[in-house]
Amino acid sequence: MTTLYFLDAAEFTDVSAVAAAQPGARVERLPGYVTVTSNGPLIVDRRATGVRHSVWYSALAAVGHGRVVQYDKDALKVEPTP
Amino acid sequence: MTSPTAQVREQEAAPGGAAIHPVRGINHMAFPTFDPAGTIGFYRDVLGLPLVQTMQVKAWGAEYQRDFVHFFFDIGNADCLAFFYYFGQEPYRDKNLPPLLDLGKHVALHVDTLEDLDGFHKRIEDAGLKLQMRVMHETVESIYVRDPNDILIEIARPLRELTAADAVDAMVTAQALLDILAGDGEPTLDALWARKAELIASGVPA
């Protein structure tokens, strides 16, 4: 299971929401963080989030059991690791 | 009953860090200048920051010391930005500083409102100076200008207030960074993300 952690702050809400909207994703609120977990790859389309570049490139707070294979102007893609 | 560690974390997580240490801002930051006319013109006349104190000092002590003038501009909260002009000192500028490190070294002044930021934007442009950038960062909007000493000056206004979540995340990030730097692996952002997730999952920020 791969988990993406986003800081629970207003500027990152749209990023975590787009991450959470994909099939198979589960959302949880921890103190200070919003997490999105999936058994498969997690993909976030930057344009779908609508956030500015500074927010986009600082949105990912932590990654549990996953490997970031893409994080650029188009998308964030994280694949599960054992 | 809350544990002492948790109490410290609560205090450290308090926005602004009020009442947990005695520091009250910057007394002054000081830089050498080789261009007092440009420096006074920039800070006092362009930015409108009053010159509030000067000292003229006869060289004493170390043999490399020179006679100098030390002058202070008010930057709010009784904090000051200060400069030294050393008589007879040859100008020096590090032309080999890599751009990344140059940008990483800057002074950021705080203003409260968009109107304040726009006011400084206009002052800079009206003076014919080049505005380096205007950027919406994560939690501040900033303008950047070079002073006559080539110091990068940022003026920033908050986009939101910092919260306890920001302070907790700062602690977790710092701990993760220290952990990966002390480890055997290559310190990378990927390693930081992974270590942060471990710390959060283990309840460290709770």
Side-chain angles (χ1 to χ4, degrees), chain B residues 122-152:
Chain B
K122 185 172 187 307
R123 278 175 174 269
I124 290 163
E125 289 192 333
D126 286 352
L129 300 174
K130 183 185 176 193
L131 196 77
Q132 303 284 329
M133 296 179 278
R134 180 159 181 156
V135 183
M136 293 285 277
H137 293 294
E138 297 87 337
T139 56
V140 296
E141 180 182 15
S142 301
I143 57 175
Y144 295 84
V145 63
R146 293 273 178 188
D147 90 343
N149 309 293
D150 213 29
I151 299 167
L152 187 60

Side-chain angles (χ1 to χ4, degrees), chain B residues 171-183 187-188 191-192 195-196 199:
Chain B
M171 281 193 293
V172 176
T173 304
Q175 187 59 54
L177 179 60
L178 296 177
D179 289 349
I180 64 170
L181 290 173
T188 62
L192 182 88
R195 182 59 184 146
K196 278 189 73 177
L199 291 170

Side-chain angles (χ1 to χ4, degrees), chain A residues 12-75:
Chain A
F12 301 125
T13 302
D14 292 339
V15 182
S16 60
V18 170
Q22 59 199 293
R26 298 182 301 283
V27 187
E28 189 180 357
R29 291 190 98 90
L30 302 177
Y33 298 95
V34 176
T35 68
V36 178
T37 300
S38 173
N39 290 325
L42 284 157
I43 302 170
V44 187
D45 183 297
R46 184 189 66 82
R47 291 171 186 84
T49 69
V51 300
R52 58 187 180 273
H53 277 219
S54 61
V55 170
W56 171 247
Y57 286 109
S58 62
L60 190 58
V63 180
H65 306 290
R67 188 167 65 92
V68 176
V69 295
Q70 182 184 357
Y71 196 169
D72 56 24
K73 62 183 172 51
D74 297 317

Side-chain angles (χ1 to χ4, degrees), chain B residues 90-129:
Chain B
E90 283 297 311
Y92 172 82
R93 193 160 286 175
D94 185 357
K95 294 185 172 64
N96 296 318
L97 189 64
L100 184 65
L101 305 186
D102 178 41
L103 291 173
K105 192 168 64 172
H106 60 269
V107 173
L109 304 175
H110 177 96
V111 295
D112 285 332
T113 68
L114 174 61
E115 291 70 28
D116 292 335
L117 192 67
D118 286 342
F120 278 110
H121 188 145
K122 185 172 187 307
R123 278 175 174 269
I124 290 163
E125 289 192 333
D126 286 352
L129 300 174

Side-chain angles (χ1 to χ4, degrees), chain B:
Chain B
M1 183 177 165
T2 310
S3 73
T5 307
Q7 286 176 11
V8 168
R9 284 186 180 137
E10 274 182 23
Q11 289 172 342
E12 287 183 345
I20 62 168
H21 64 67
V23 175
R24 295 290 170 265
I26 294 169
N27 183 287
H28 67 278
M29 301 179 66
F31 301 90
T33 181
F34 310 106
D35 181 6
T39 298
I40 292 169
F42 177 78
Y43 289 101
R44 184 189 65 187
D45 303 331
V46 175
L47 298 188
L49 305 177
L51 189 57
V52 292
Q53 187 182 16
T54 61
M55 303 163 194
Q56 56 288 302
V57 180
K58 184 66 186 167
W60 60 278
E63 67 177 34
Y64 57 75
Q65 189 58 271
R66 293 176 180 274
D67 298 346
F68 64 90
V69 177
H70 198 13
F71 47 104
F72 296 75
F73 299 96
D74 172 60
I75 55 170
N77 281 339
D79 302 347
C80 284
L81 191 57
F83 290 88
F84 288 99
Y85 175 72
Y86 298 105
F87 292 101
Q89 175 67 48
E90 283 297 311
Y92 172 82
R93 193 160 286 175
D94 185 357
K95 294 185 172 64
N96 296 318
L97 189 64
L100 184 65
L101 305 186
D102 178 41
L103 291 173
K105 192 168 64 172
H106 60 269
V107 173
L109 304 175
H110 177 96
V111 295
D112 285 332
T113 68
L114 174 61
E115 291 70 28
D116 292 335
L117 192 67
D118 286 342
F120 278 110
H121 188 145
K122 185 172 187 307
R123 278 175 174 269
I124 290 163
E125 289 192 333
D126 286 352
L129 300 174
K130 183 185 176 193
L131 196 77
Q132 303 284 329
M133 296 179 278
R134 180 159 181 156
V135 183
M136 293 285 277
H137 293 294
E138 297 87 337
T139 56
V140 296
E141 180 182 15
S142 301
I143 57 175
Y144 295 84
V145 63
R146 293 273 178 188
D147 90 343
N149 309 293
D150 213 29
I151 299 167
L152 187 60
I153 299 295
E154 173 181 356
I155 303 174
R157 64 144 179 136
L159 295 174
R160 67 167 171 84
E161 292 191 359
L162 296 184
T163 67
D166 290 297
V168 169
D169 186 55
M171 281 193 293
V172 176
T173 304
Q175 187 59 54
L177 179 60
L178 296 177
D179 289 349
I180 64 170
L181 290 173
D184 295 331
E186 185 186 354
T188 62
L189 185 55
D190 290 282
L192 182 88
W193 282 323
R195 182 59 184 146
K196 278 189 73 177
E198 290 174 355
L199 291 170
I200 297 166
S202 70
V204 162

